[in-house]
Amino acid sequence: MPIQWFPGHMTSARKKAAETMANIDVVIEVLDARLPEASSNPMIQELRSFRQRPCLKLLNKTDLADPAATRDWLAFFNAQKNVKAVAISAKKGGDVSRLPALCQALAPHRNDNFKPLRLMIMGIPNVGKSTLLNTLVKRRVAAVGDEPAVTKSQQSIALTPRLTLVDTPGLMWPKIEHDSDGFMLAVCHAIGRNAVIDEAVATFLAGILLARYPDSITTRYGLNAAGLDAPGVLEGVARKRGCIIKGRGGELDLEKAAMQFLTDFRDGALGRISLETPETRRVILAAGDVQQITAPA
Ligand code: G4P
């Protein structure tokens, strides 16, 4: 079943973002480094292109992503016109302190008290926009939460006399074109839980791990990945973690196992893992999508 999630308040958020875009110089687009293209909102690209605004793409949560995949993604994005891409962890002050200078280089004409550099932070829910903002301003001005769509309105902050920032709420788009993107977004909790079935999402994740990171399953759960299929991984996790439905003759609680498996992935307990690479993306686009539960090798 394809995953779609477009809560009502996002229609007005998109309208407001389009208005704000007219009055800023550089877009800071926050992506999840584990799924940089699947977490790219096509509406942001569309709004940016219309106003011809340059973009600093931040591959955030790089501490959770596979470093080799991140390197490939940086090369991929840095080949795009009007784009600079860097990998960061929004929680790290050192990573974030580099950003104003990178934005300035994208809009060199905005560099005095009369023409302050105006930045706009955009991205889908749960990629780390609020965390980034709090680290940038060095205090808590935005609510951080692992529940998608915590921030619901825009706020503008003067960082210095030469630098202003507009923070925007997480923006999804009305139709996720590739089913696998919906699953990747759900794995990383960018989509509200009411729109997904944890067991299906966890099975999708198991497929990717079997194809590209089988050792992560062995290391974490002591399962021999060879010979297992994706549902088999979930059953294995349920057995190893004692997820059993009481009074049902030992029946496995796969929903509980799915939650544990997803939480382990989201917390980085399975290691540094990227759900897609430029190469897996190319394969998906060439196949035209994708009712796939397992990822391409
Ligand atoms: P949003 O505004 O884009 O919706 O995202 P937000 O900043 O609320 O961050 C969503 C979750 O991602 C938070 O987790 C936050 O701590 C985490 N996060 C943000 N940036 C990074 C990063 O660079 N690395 C890692 N590992 N995590 C990051 P949470 O579980 O709600 O919060 P917490 O338990 O970490 O406080």
Side-chain angles (χ1 to χ4, degrees):
M1 186 187 67
I3 294 173
Q4 300 292 346
W5 192 59
F6 191 65
H9 70 271
M10 287 190 190
T11 303
S12 55
R14 182 198 181 280
K15 203 162 158 251
K16 188 88 182 80
E19 287 164 19
T20 306
M21 186 74 74
N23 300 312
I24 56 98
D25 307 301
V26 176
V27 173
I28 298 179
E29 185 180 7
V30 187
L31 304 173
D32 188 320
R34 297 166 295 177
L35 59 159
E37 266 290 292
S39 62
S40 294
N41 182 342
M43 266 171 23
I44 296 177
Q45 169 69 24
E46 185 189 304
L47 295 175
R48 223 168 51 66
S49 300
F50 182 66
R51 294 278 173 192
Q52 300 190 337
R53 296 295 186 251
C55 185
L56 179 66
K57 289 193 189 259
L58 301 181
L59 276 57
N60 187 37
K61 308 195 187 186
T62 190
D63 52 297
L64 299 174
D66 177 343
T70 300
R71 262 196 309 278
D72 291 349
W73 279 117
L74 287 177
F76 174 89
F77 287 120
N78 277 318
Q80 294 177 355
K81 204 172 146 231
N82 243 354
V83 166
K84 171 77 186 163
V86 289
I88 66 157
S89 291
K91 294 180 178 186
K92 290 191 185 154
D95 285 7
V96 171
S97 63
R98 298 162 55 211
L99 305 184
L102 292 169
C103 292
Q104 186 69 74
L106 287 167
H109 58 292
R110 303 284 311 193
N111 193 19
D112 58 40
N113 287 355
F114 301 105
K115 285 187 181 170
L117 183 62
R118 300 161 304 177
L119 309 176
M120 179 182 189
I121 299 177
M122 300 186 83
I124 66 167
N126 216 36
V127 284
K129 298 176 300 302
S130 303
T131 305
L132 171 71
L133 184 67
N134 290 338
T135 308
L136 258 175
V137 302
K138 299 193 182 78
R139 64 193 153 88
R140 196 179 160 88
V141 288
V144 172
D146 195 34
E147 210 35 56
V150 166
T151 309
K152 292 223 166 86
S153 61
Q154 285 192 2
Q155 61 174 330
S156 180
I157 296 162
L159 210 58
T160 70
R162 293 183 174 208
L163 193 62
T164 61
L165 263 180
V166 181
D167 173 37
T168 64
L171 255 192
M172 287 300 289
W173 60 106
K175 186 169 186 324
I176 299 170
E177 197 178 338
H178 303 294
D179 292 352
S180 54
D181 286 355
F183 278 102
M184 283 189 248
L185 290 163
V187 166
C188 293
H189 210 181
I191 281 179
R193 275 196 72 197
N194 53 357
V196 302
I197 299 166
D198 287 331
E199 202 179 316
V201 174
T203 306
F204 172 85
L205 173 62
I208 290 188
L209 298 187
L210 282 176
R212 304 220 320 270
Y213 304 96
D215 290 351
S216 65
I217 294 168
T218 310
T219 308
R220 179 71 183 167
Y221 305 111
L223 294 170
N224 181 3
L228 279 182
D229 60 6
V233 170
L234 212 54
E235 287 165 18
V237 172
R239 279 196 195 90
K240 291 278 180 181
R241 292 287 185 258
C243 302
I244 308 285
I245 303 175
K246 275 193 191 130
R248 297 260 284 268
E251 190 183 326
L252 298 175
D253 188 342
L254 294 176
E255 205 54 28
K256 188 173 172 193
M259 268 314 293
Q260 290 206 2
F261 186 50
L262 289 170
T263 303
D264 278 351
F265 169 80
R266 290 167 184 161
D267 290 348
L270 299 176
R272 296 180 70 173
I273 288 164
S274 293
L275 300 181
E276 60 171 356
T277 67
E279 180 55 19
T280 62
R281 190 82 199 166
R282 197 189 56 71
V283 172
I284 283 174
L285 293 183
D289 212 31
V290 185
Q291 288 284 332
Q292 62 166 33
I293 288 296
T294 49

